[in-house]
C-alpha cells in the first residue's frame, strides 16, 4: 500500500472530480488508456493477418498465431495484459479521479476513487483533461454520455450500462485523502501527458 497523501479533503468538491495519476504495480492488472488502445489495434491487425494467411500458412483448423508476436500481448478476449503495459516505460501510468460524496446519507468526508476511463471503450478517458464532471451525484463521461453512480461506479445510463468503473482504493485520515490500494503507487496530480492530447473520442457531450 502506497499511503501517499493525494489531496486535502477540503480541496475536493461534490460537483467535480480531482484528477491524479497512479502507476500499476500489480502483475495481473489489465491495461487501460494507451496500452488498451494499442492492444485493440494489435488484436485487429493479428486477426487480419490470420485471415490473409488462412489459405496458405495457417493451421488446418485456423488456429495458432501468425508471426511471432501476433497475439502474445493479449488474452483470448483481446484484453491487454501486463506485458503490454511494460513495453514502453511509463505506459502503466493511468489517470484516476477522486470524488467527494455529498448526499444526505454520506459521511461528510466520504471519498471514492476511480480510474478515469470509460467502460464503453477502456482506452477513452471520462473527461477532456481536467477531471470528469459530476451531475446529481453521477460521474459523466463527456465522450460517450454514459453516467456512473458516484458511490458505486456502476454505469446507470449509456452504452456500457451495468458495467462498473475500476476502483482505486483510498482512505481519509487527518483531513487528507491517502492512496490505500496495493495495486497502484501514486505518481502525481493532474493528467497523463500524451502525444494524443486527449485519448478521447471525437464525440462531445453538451453538459
Amino acid at each position: 500500500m502506497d499511503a501517499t497523501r493525494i489531496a486535502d479533503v477540503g480541496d475536493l468538491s461534490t460537483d467535480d472530480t480531482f484528477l491524479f495519476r497512479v502507476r500499476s504495480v500489480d502483475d495481473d492488472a489489465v491495461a487501460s488508456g494507451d496500452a488498451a488502445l494499442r492492444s485493440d489495434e494489435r488484436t485487429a491487425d493479428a486477426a487480419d493477418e490470420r485471415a490473409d494467411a488462412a489459405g496458405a500458412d495457417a493451421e488446418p483448423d485456423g488456429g495458432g498465431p501468425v508471426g511471432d508476436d501476433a497475439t502474445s500481448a493479449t488474452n483470448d478476449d483481446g484484453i491487454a495484459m501486463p506485458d503490454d503495459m511494460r513495453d514502453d516505460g511509463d505506459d502503466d501510468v493511468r489517470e484516476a479521479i477522486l470524488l467527494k460524496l455529498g448526499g444526505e446519507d454520506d459521511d461528510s468526508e466520504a471519498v471514492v476513487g476511480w480510474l478515469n476511463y470509460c467502460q464503453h471503450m477502456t482506452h477513452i478517458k471520462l473527461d477532456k483533461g481536467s477531471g470528469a464532471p459530476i451531475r446529481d451525484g453521477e460521474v459523466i463521461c463527456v465522450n460517450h454520455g454514459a453516467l456512473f453512480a458516484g458511490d458505486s461506479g456502476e454505469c446507470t445510463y449509456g452504452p456500457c450500462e451495468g458495467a462498473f468503473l475500476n476502483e482505486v482504493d483510498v482512505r481519509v485520515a487527518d483531513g487528507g485523502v491517502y492512496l490505500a490500494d496495493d495495486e497502484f503507487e501514486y505518481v502525481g496530480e493532474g493528467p497523463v501527458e500524451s502525444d494524443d492530447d486527449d485519448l478521447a473520442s471525437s464525440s462531445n457531450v453538451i453538459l
Side-chain angles (χ1 to χ4, degrees), residues 66-86:
V66 176
D68 293 337
D69 301 313
T71 58
S72 60
T74 62
N75 66 11
D76 292 338
D77 296 320
I79 296 175
M81 299 307 288
D83 285 346
D84 194 40
M85 294 181 284
R86 292 195 294 263

Side-chain angles (χ1 to χ4, degrees), residues 164-201:
F164 288 81
L165 295 175
N166 294 309
E167 186 174 10
V168 177
D169 289 334
V170 296
R171 66 181 178 88
V172 175
D174 301 323
V177 183
Y178 294 83
L179 183 62
D181 198 312
D182 292 334
E183 297 182 6
F184 300 103
E185 62 183 10
Y186 180 74
V187 174
E189 182 179 340
V192 172
E193 294 184 5
S194 171
D195 291 336
D196 299 325
D197 277 342
D198 64 357
L199 257 191
S201 119

